[in-house]
Amino acid sequence: MKIGESVNSRASVGGDSPQTPVSGSDAAPATGAARVKATLLAYIALTKPRVIELLLVSTIPVMLQAHRGHVDIGLILITVVGGWMGAASANSLNMVADADIDQKMKRTQRRPLARHAVPVRNALIFGVVLAVASFLVLYFGTGDKWLPPVLVMITIAFYVGVYTLILKRRTWQNVIWGGAAGCMPALVGWAAVTGDLSWQPVVMFLVVFFWTPPHTWALAMRYREDYRAAGVPMLPVIASDEKVTKQILVYTVLTVITSLFLIPVTSWIYLSVALLSGAWFTWCVVKLYVQTRRGAEVKPLKIFLQSNEYLALLFCGLAVDAVLDLPTIASYF
């Protein structure tokens, strides 16, 4: 649910592709139908639909692992829909809070509030309504389980209240701690199946937690001038490329190591995927760090895309492993 500023292989953080800057409102559509369409698209954009892809990547495999060998399509759909509403709420409220800096960043100047396509008051109401709908869908849809909707409400409050309003504009560690919001789908998905939590979803939470900084910093290296203009102290804005890539490497290693903790409760499928994809992604980041130290021209956006590919490979491997329900590694000992 990131919720959060991470994640899509086809777009930058927040689901916004680099666009030509605009000033003020877009030209008004000529017809009533065109105006309705433009307004509808603006509200959809408030939810940052591309960012919500992370919800699918991290929620479904966790739910499958929670009930290995069984696929409850109905519960998965309900959880994804409810989770999507929660993520859409958080993203909409995030845009309300960030409307001022979105106008200063070329990458975000086409967001609905930045170009005045949606009134701030309407966006606020829209976000609150989505939060309420998310709570109701998750509570009743998961069999009156309190934990999934409560976790989503905590996520929305943390993302908007802690990350957006406090951390984002005050410290370079913003994405480290603020990224916790994007890890919550792992906990929500597990709770939707079992009604409680265990160490396994915590491991998956930590995988996304450690993955978020290198993913986001790689993108921030590409758009550091945007963040500098908006007064957002992202690490690439205040530190050298060598320091940034070193931190990216540290968090990448932590991500890969954390992913290995699931090996005992999975089969050779996840074992193979985790080791191979982890080695590949680590090598990509090592190359970036070495090139940076040598003063060579680097392409950090490539690491941003590769980080998406790594996470997709890892969680898809987990999903396949859970569905096939082969003997776990621990069962051989």
Side-chain angles (χ1 to χ4, degrees):
M1 243 180 277
K2 201 165 183 189
I3 304 179
E5 297 205 12
S6 64
V7 140
N8 181 274
S9 60
R10 302 188 305 278
S12 56
V13 171
D16 301 292
S17 301
Q19 307 241 13
T20 302
V22 295
S23 299
S25 304
D26 289 346
T31 67
R35 284 195 295 271
V36 171
K37 179 181 179 181
T39 300
L40 178 61
L41 291 175
Y43 277 94
I44 292 174
L46 278 176
T47 68
K48 301 183 187 176
R50 289 177 175 175
V51 170
I52 296 177
E53 288 180 7
L54 179 60
L55 173 72
L56 301 177
V57 172
S58 55
T59 302
I60 296 176
V62 172
M63 296 184 71
L64 295 173
Q65 177 64 12
H67 200 188
R68 286 180 65 84
H70 300 273
V71 181
D72 188 336
I73 298 296
L75 181 60
I76 289 175
L77 288 176
I78 284 292
T79 305
V80 169
V81 169
W84 174 84
M85 289 178 175
S89 168
N91 290 331
S92 300
L93 297 174
N94 166 263
M95 283 201 194
V96 172
D98 273 353
D100 58 331
I101 62 175
D102 282 346
Q103 291 178 331
K104 301 174 183 177
M105 299 175 64
K106 294 179 180 179
R107 183 177 58 81
T108 58
Q109 283 180 341
R110 287 196 61 84
R111 287 181 175 176
L113 296 182
R115 59 188 173 89
H116 309 294
V118 175
V120 173
R121 178 175 177 273
N122 290 10
L124 180 61
I125 294 173
F126 181 63
V128 172
V129 169
L130 282 171
V132 173
S134 172
F135 188 96
L136 295 176
V137 167
L138 285 172
Y139 176 69
F140 291 108
T142 59
D144 297 349
K145 295 186 180 77
W146 282 103
L147 190 55
V150 168
L151 287 172
V152 170
M153 296 304 106
I154 291 173
T155 302
I156 295 172
F158 182 84
Y159 181 55
V160 178
V162 177
Y163 169 69
T164 304
L165 296 178
I166 299 175
L167 296 175
K168 185 173 183 177
R169 309 190 193 202
R170 289 175 172 81
T171 173
W172 67 269
Q173 296 186 30
N174 45 23
V175 298
I176 297 177
W177 305 109
C183 314
M184 294 298 283
L187 304 185
V188 173
W190 189 278
V193 174
T194 67
D196 56 20
L197 297 175
S198 76
W199 67 271
Q200 290 188 54
V202 173
V203 169
M204 290 178 266
F205 175 99
L206 290 174
V207 167
V208 182
F209 180 82
F210 290 129
W211 168 87
T212 300
H215 170 79
T216 308
W217 287 334
L219 185 70
M221 289 179 69
R222 171 66 175 79
Y223 293 103
R224 60 159 51 91
E225 295 307 320
D226 257 7
Y227 285 109
R228 181 175 287 116
V232 178
M234 299 292 285
L235 182 61
V237 173
I238 65 171
S240 66
D241 283 353
E242 182 176 340
K243 181 177 180 180
V244 174
T245 53
K246 182 178 180 180
Q247 288 294 312
I248 288 176
L249 178 57
V250 168
Y251 278 90
T252 296
V253 171
L254 289 173
T255 301
V256 174
I257 291 175
T258 303
S259 72
L260 303 182
F261 282 94
L262 288 177
I263 289 175
V265 293
T266 56
S267 75
W268 64 267
I269 296 176
Y270 177 80
L271 169 65
S272 302
V273 172
L275 290 176
L276 292 175
S277 63
W280 165 74
F281 184 45
T282 302
W283 174 242
C284 292
V285 175
V286 167
K287 287 196 297 183
L288 175 68
Y289 176 60
V290 171
Q291 291 170 351
T292 303
R293 290 198 64 182
R294 291 175 177 173
E297 183 178 354
V298 297
K299 298 180 179 179
L301 196 58
K302 186 176 181 180
I303 291 295
F304 170 78
L305 299 175
Q306 289 168 333
S307 69
N308 288 326
E309 294 166 3
Y310 164 73
L311 196 68
L313 285 170
L314 184 71
F315 277 87
C316 284
L318 179 64
V320 172
D321 189 285
V323 170
L324 295 180
D325 193 24
L326 299 178
T328 65
I329 301 300
S331 68
Y332 292 106
F333 298 94

